[in-house]
Amino acid sequence: MKNSTSFLPREGEAQPSRCPDNSAFKQQRLPAWKPQLTIASVLSSFFLTGAFCLTVGVCLVLSANSVREIQVDYSDKCSDCSKLRENSSNWNKECHCSVNFTLKEAILGDVFMYYGLQNFYQNHRRYMTSRSDAQLLGRNINIQRSYCAPFSTYRNGTPMAPCGAIANSMFNDTIDLFYSRNSSVIQVPLLKTGNSWWTDKNVKFRNPESYNLSSAFAGTARPPYWQKPVYLLDEEDERNNGFVNDDFIIWMRVSAFATFRNLYRRLWRVRHFAEGLPAGNYTFRISYNFPVTRFKGRKHVILSTVVWSGGSNPFLGIAYLVSGTAATLTGFVITGIHLKLRKKKTYFQKQ
């Protein structure tokens, strides 16, 4: 082993310098800009920010208030069906109920139908991760290695399609709207496609490749709480069936809050409904399948229009108003402090 003194510099040798290189970057001589905060620039920034936020907030609140919306809660009116659904042995029994309501004024323009759930928590970590994105892309994977458990396979080893707790708890009530016109009942035409995000429909969800959907999902079984397999979600439209079904795609985008609404249908503006929904008597006919009593939840249907800022949620407008008010008040407080200190400075200068 060499002597440790061999690493020390010999006499007469120059020791290496530990100073940074003499460059503009390492010696911090690069040109820089430092803002000079004057009282005029600070106050103008606060007041301009406050004016901008207040203006945008007022516009957003007025826009949200201009949305026409009607909400119908059918939890109590369909209580008999709710009791039937609480018993899991009645999963194959159908139950229907009707809810009447009246539109005193016509809802003009595009009308959207939503279903709403209350006290249904989708933000639990295990619930949110209980899915297989690879399976939803139509890939042939080993479901047992996914995060879908315990909704991955049955006891006999048959994999579920789709797997996971999110898919298993999919909202499956069927809601139809009827309009009473001149002693006759007309079913309101509703569109069930084109409601999901384009990226979800065309990128995140794919059906397995096969000559038909029934063979594509051969060897799999429906989730336990479903009444029919995934390839029968929409038997009328092949492009809206399987994993690319709009209702299924919308449900798989979980909500952050316990009370939420999801888009269900859009009004097809034809014939009597070319201008929107006319005033009159309407009826919701509901095929009740989704139980909510055990978690003390409630269900409702919403008919709503939309504006340039979205739906009838005033949260964003209120947030802008609060921010604008805070910025404006801060500007006035700084102005008061500045005037008070300037008076003291003038007083001492005179003394």
Side-chain angles (χ1 to χ4, degrees):
M1 179 180 295
K2 294 183 180 180
N3 192 348
S4 60
T5 58
S6 61
F7 294 96
L8 297 176
R10 299 178 181 178
E11 295 183 2
E13 292 183 358
Q15 296 183 1
S17 176
R18 302 182 63 182
C19 296
D21 295 337
N22 189 19
S23 62
F25 176 76
K26 293 187 177 181
Q27 295 296 335
Q28 299 185 10
R29 293 196 301 266
L30 292 175
W33 176 78
K34 182 179 180 180
Q36 299 294 330
L37 298 178
T38 62
I39 187 63
S41 62
V42 171
L43 290 179
S44 60
S45 299
F46 275 102
F47 285 121
L48 288 176
T49 302
F52 173 78
C53 291
L54 289 174
T55 303
V56 175
V58 170
C59 294
L60 289 174
V61 170
L62 293 177
S63 176
N65 291 335
S66 66
V67 174
R68 291 291 309 280
E69 179 177 301
I70 180 172
Q71 179 171 315
V72 178
D73 190 316
Y74 64 95
S75 302
D76 297 331
K77 296 181 180 180
C78 297
S79 57
D80 294 338
C81 291
S82 178
K83 294 178 182 178
L84 179 70
R85 283 289 171 259
E86 290 304 320
N87 188 348
S88 59
S89 62
N90 298 325
W91 66 270
N92 58 345
K93 297 181 180 179
E94 295 186 359
C95 189
H96 302 272
C97 58
S98 299
V99 180
N100 301 319
F101 67 98
T102 302
L103 284 182
K104 297 181 180 179
E105 297 181 0
I107 302 180
L108 303 178
D110 295 329
V111 182
F112 298 84
M113 179 189 291
Y114 302 83
Y115 63 85
L117 290 177
Q118 184 176 348
N119 206 36
F120 188 92
Y121 290 86
Q122 290 188 308
N123 57 359
H124 192 280
R125 184 182 63 85
R126 290 193 62 186
Y127 179 86
M128 295 176 63
T129 59
S130 183
R131 58 185 293 167
S132 174
D133 292 322
Q135 184 196 46
L136 297 177
L137 284 171
R139 299 173 183 172
N140 186 14
I141 62 169
N142 186 358
I143 298 299
Q144 294 182 349
R145 295 183 179 180
S146 65
Y147 294 101
C148 291
F151 301 101
S152 55
T153 60
Y154 286 92
R155 293 182 178 178
N156 59 1
T158 304
M160 300 181 188
C163 69
I166 305 177
N168 183 59
S169 61
M170 176 181 168
F171 182 86
N172 57 351
D173 284 0
T174 302
I175 306 171
D176 295 317
L177 180 61
F178 293 86
Y179 170 55
S180 299
R181 181 178 182 270
N182 299 330
S183 69
S184 62
V185 178
I186 304 173
Q187 184 171 1
V188 179
L190 300 173
L191 297 173
K192 54 186 176 181
T193 58
N195 301 325
S196 60
W197 291 16
W198 186 92
T199 52
D200 289 349
K201 185 82 171 182
N202 297 276
V203 179
K204 295 183 178 181
F205 292 83
R206 286 283 188 275
N207 284 324
E209 295 183 0
S210 184
Y211 61 92
N212 59 36
L213 282 181
S214 60
S215 63
F217 291 97
T220 64
R222 59 175 177 81
Y225 291 172
W226 285 29
Q227 295 179 327
K228 52 187 177 182
V230 66
Y231 56 86
L232 295 180
L233 289 180
D234 190 352
E235 302 179 58
E236 300 176 357
D237 189 356
E238 187 75 14
R239 297 171 299 177
N240 190 44
N241 206 354
F243 290 156
V244 295
N245 178 263
D246 275 38
D247 293 338
F248 173 70
I249 292 174
I250 291 174
W251 178 259
M252 293 300 291
R253 184 174 288 275
V254 297
S255 173
F257 302 100
T259 300
F260 61 92
R261 62 177 64 177
N262 285 336
L263 182 59
Y264 183 68
R265 296 290 184 266
R266 292 181 295 123
L267 175 66
W268 189 11
R269 297 173 60 180
V270 294
R271 297 189 296 275
H272 306 293
F273 310 97
E275 302 296 328
L277 289 179
N281 297 321
Y282 290 84
T283 301
F284 283 124
R285 293 184 183 176
I286 302 165
S287 177
Y288 199 104
N289 299 309
F290 193 86
V292 296
T293 306
R294 290 189 177 181
F295 57 87
K296 299 180 181 179
R298 302 191 69 84
K299 297 189 292 187
H300 43 270
V301 188
I302 305 103
L303 295 174
S304 175
T305 59
V306 295
V307 291
W308 62 272
S309 60
S312 62
N313 190 354
F315 173 79
L316 186 59
I318 295 175
Y320 268 102
L321 289 176
V322 172
S323 301
T325 303
T328 305
L329 290 178
T330 303
F332 281 115
V333 170
I334 295 176
T335 302
I337 294 174
H338 171 67
L339 294 177
K340 185 176 180 180
L341 294 177
R342 188 172 66 175
K343 288 182 180 180
K344 287 185 177 181
K345 184 178 180 181
T346 304
Y347 173 78
F348 286 117
Q349 287 177 350
K350 292 181 179 180
Q351 294 296 326

